[in-house]
Amino acid sequence: MPKIADILSLPNPILEGSALSTGANTTSNDITSILVDSWVPWEEFTFPTLSKIFKNDLSSPYEGSSGLKPLPNDLEICNEATWEDVMRMFIVPFVNVALSKLEGQAHIGRGSQCWIGYQKVPDWSAVSPMYKFDDGKPQNCLPGDTKISTKFRPKMKDDPIYNDEWSKAISQEVTYMVLAGSRYGYIATEKHFVALRLAQRRIGSGLSQDRSQRQQATHTRQISDTAAIPDGSFDITTTDMSSEYSDHNPLMHSYEPPQYAVVNYSASGKDRLTYKSALFFLARMAMFERSIGYIYPALDSYRRYNKGFIHNTSGEFISKLGKHDKYEEPDVGETGDEGLAPQTSYPIPHTSYPLTQTDSYPVPSTGNYRTLPYIAGVAASLVLLRNVYRAIKTMVRRTTTILSIKATMRPEAEKKNLLPNRRRLGLQKSALWLRLQSGLPNRRRLGLQKSAS
């Protein structure tokens, strides 16, 4: 049976895209969008780092078929919809099968199955039994957007002619990430897979420094009082955006330029990131911690938790750090408003990890599946300590008994050897005298006794 790593490293089908259409991206220059004009490389998003973190996942057996064999017409793409069809048939199913047997059971599907607010619907979502609204509807743990290379390419950022189109595409996806409360997201084209991570900018007021720019927006809309909003979520669709700003509206916070990592569609083979493995890793990362914080610890690092350490990316628990394990606590912010993490548009699910110290970094509860290995480890340690205690107690008892027996059976001569030399010599002479007396006749022995007296 092949391993998950073997399947994720397989090449993607060759596409026919000579008929790709051109055009502009959806505009995001309104008060309901996060405007992005720059990004920075996500240097940690590499195969050596991610494969080390999720090495157990990659070595798990792949319990699925090898997939459908595409027909020539299946691989002809002319717009975003046809490219999305290719992804749903020949890329995403492999990733979903790999995720289905792992913790969290993430499943990548249509973005329309999840509510994120403000009538914005990403093309893709990742759902999990762990993350649900109070009414049972799924939350979008990993929003993604579909583009074609004629409308979005990473190199458009540095091209003055296409920079505006680049900004539209990135701003659209970052807005999805903010509304979904997920630090992770991606843009998928037929040429590249672009992984994204977002962090909040720490400022004094905790609100956006770009308010003046957003207040100039002229976007108008109809607000429905009967909009279907999950129970307990923050209703940003009915917020008067032109009035007083709120710290509880994630769209009104300031964010750092997103981090990005680009993976080519043609990439395949082991020991390198591929299109499928990049999507797989993002989904696995979103199953542990996904809320948007300020400064994140290194991907491959641990923090303290319950008399042990928990991995900052995978959630793996260990009782003791190894020689090469890195220890790094998350940035939990400061006291006051400036230390709060941006509020998501939904509450943290009741089946998720309870929060400690800050809403940015949920950690496992004792009732969560991630703590089962920890509980088992603690139980085994207690049993081991009990057995060691019993063994030491038995050994001490036996040793004490042996010593007491030896002390009672020690011969008189051995006790005499413990006396000073002069005293021991006197005892020896007395013993010799008694032996001499016993060997003489009665009359002679009596005479010696009288002389001794």
Side-chain angles (χ1 to χ4, degrees):
M1 180 178 294
K3 297 180 180 180
I4 289 178
D6 300 328
I7 298 300
L8 298 180
S9 64
L10 294 177
N12 298 316
I14 300 176
L15 306 175
E16 169 52 49
S18 59
L20 277 174
S21 61
T22 59
N25 290 300
T26 303
T27 180
S28 296
N29 190 21
D30 59 60
I31 203 168
T32 69
S33 298
I34 304 295
L35 304 181
V36 181
D37 57 9
S38 63
W39 62 2
V40 294
W42 189 2
E43 297 179 352
E44 284 188 300
F45 197 85
T46 62
F47 184 82
T49 299
L50 297 172
S51 61
K52 179 184 176 183
I53 296 173
F54 298 105
K55 60 182 178 181
N56 293 333
D57 295 346
L58 294 176
S59 61
S60 300
Y62 179 84
E63 301 178 5
S65 65
S66 57
L68 297 174
K69 183 178 180 180
L71 299 173
N73 288 343
D74 292 333
L75 304 178
E76 292 182 2
I77 58 175
C78 58
N79 52 31
E80 291 179 3
T82 53
W83 158 234
E84 196 169 297
D85 288 341
V86 173
M87 287 191 65
R88 296 191 190 281
M89 288 190 294
F90 306 114
I91 296 178
V92 173
F94 292 103
V95 180
N96 279 336
V97 171
L99 294 171
S100 64
K101 300 299 182 181
L102 301 176
E103 294 175 342
Q105 297 178 325
H107 183 85
I108 299 169
R110 294 185 182 275
S112 57
Q113 67 180 324
C114 302
W115 184 93
I116 64 171
Y118 213 1
Q119 290 94 38
K120 292 185 180 293
V121 181
D123 295 323
W124 296 95
S125 67
V127 299
S128 167
M130 291 170 49
Y131 295 96
K132 292 182 180 294
F133 289 109
D134 291 339
D135 60 359
K137 294 181 180 179
Q139 299 179 7
N140 194 340
C141 302
L142 182 64
D145 199 29
T146 303
K147 297 293 182 185
I148 52 177
S149 59
T150 55
K151 293 184 178 182
F152 172 79
R153 295 184 302 277
K155 291 185 178 180
M156 285 182 173
K157 166 66 175 63
D158 302 320
D159 192 328
I161 298 176
Y162 297 105
N163 178 267
D164 187 55
E165 294 302 314
W166 172 90
S167 180
K168 290 178 183 178
I170 294 295
S171 298
Q172 183 180 15
E173 172 56 22
V174 168
T175 300
Y176 293 151
M177 294 163 63
V178 169
L179 292 176
S182 176
R183 70 181 68 167
Y184 304 117
Y186 61 92
I187 298 177
T189 77
E190 85 285 0
K191 296 290 186 181
H192 306 97
F193 181 90
V194 182
L196 298 172
R197 184 173 72 167
L198 185 65
Q200 187 188 5
R201 178 180 298 164
R202 193 190 304 277
I203 58 177
S205 65
L207 297 180
S208 173
Q209 293 176 324
D210 301 326
R211 290 176 183 170
S212 59
Q213 178 183 1
R214 295 183 184 180
Q215 284 176 330
Q216 298 173 1
T218 59
H219 178 72
T220 60
R221 56 186 171 82
Q222 285 293 112
I223 296 180
S224 172
D225 293 334
T226 60
I229 300 171
D231 183 24
S233 61
F234 181 76
D235 181 9
I236 60 175
T237 67
T238 59
T239 301
D240 185 2
M241 308 291 270
S242 63
S243 61
E244 183 179 358
Y245 288 87
S246 171
D247 271 344
H248 297 290
N249 187 346
L251 292 176
M252 294 298 104
H253 287 265
S254 283
Y255 298 91
E256 298 289 350
Q259 296 175 290
Y260 75 96
V262 180
V263 180
N264 292 330
Y265 177 83
S266 59
S268 63
K270 297 182 179 180
D271 301 329
R272 63 183 303 188
L273 276 178
T274 65
Y275 210 98
K276 291 188 283 289
S277 65
L279 180 57
F280 171 84
F281 287 134
L282 277 183
R284 292 294 294 124
M285 294 161 71
M287 289 298 99
F288 176 59
E289 281 189 346
R290 59 188 180 92
S291 56
I292 303 174
Y294 292 101
I295 301 175
Y296 304 123
L299 286 181
D300 189 15
S301 63
Y302 291 84
R303 65 172 179 264
R304 292 191 179 276
Y305 177 72
N306 270 8
K307 299 182 180 179
F309 301 88
I310 194 170
H311 200 277
N312 284 314
T313 301
S314 67
E316 176 191 11
F317 180 86
I318 58 176
S319 58
K320 184 179 180 181
L321 291 178
K323 180 179 179 181
H324 301 290
D325 292 330
K326 184 176 182 180
Y327 170 74
E328 186 174 355
E329 289 288 340
D331 177 19
V332 296
E334 305 169 0
T335 57
D337 291 343
E338 64 272 14
L340 295 176
Q343 298 292 323
T344 62
S345 59
Y346 56 83
I348 297 297
H350 64 277
T351 56
S352 179
Y353 312 107
L355 306 183
T356 59
Q357 294 182 316
T358 174
D359 287 352
S360 290
Y361 297 95
V363 295
S365 67
T366 55
N368 196 277
Y369 67 90
R370 286 191 183 279
T371 60
L372 292 179
Y374 167 70
I375 295 173
V378 171
S381 300
L382 292 176
V383 172
L384 179 61
L385 290 175
R386 184 193 63 184
N387 294 338
V388 170
Y389 170 76
R390 289 180 176 177
I392 294 176
K393 186 177 180 180
T394 302
M395 186 181 300
V396 171
R397 186 171 62 250
R398 290 179 178 178
T399 303
T400 304
T401 303
I402 292 173
L403 291 177
S404 62
I405 293 174
K406 284 187 175 181
T408 57
M409 297 179 63
R410 185 177 297 173
E412 188 70 20
E414 183 177 353
K415 292 182 180 179
K416 294 176 182 179
N417 290 335
L418 299 178
L419 298 174
N421 292 337
R422 184 176 299 176
R423 177 62 176 161
R424 187 167 62 249
L425 183 60
L427 290 174
Q428 290 174 352
K429 289 182 177 180
S430 298
L432 178 61
W433 180 263
L434 293 176
R435 285 198 297 273
L436 288 172
Q437 282 183 325
S438 61
L440 295 174
N442 292 337
R443 185 178 298 176
R444 179 60 176 165
R445 186 167 60 248
L446 181 61
L448 289 174
Q449 291 175 351
K450 289 181 178 181
S451 299
S453 62

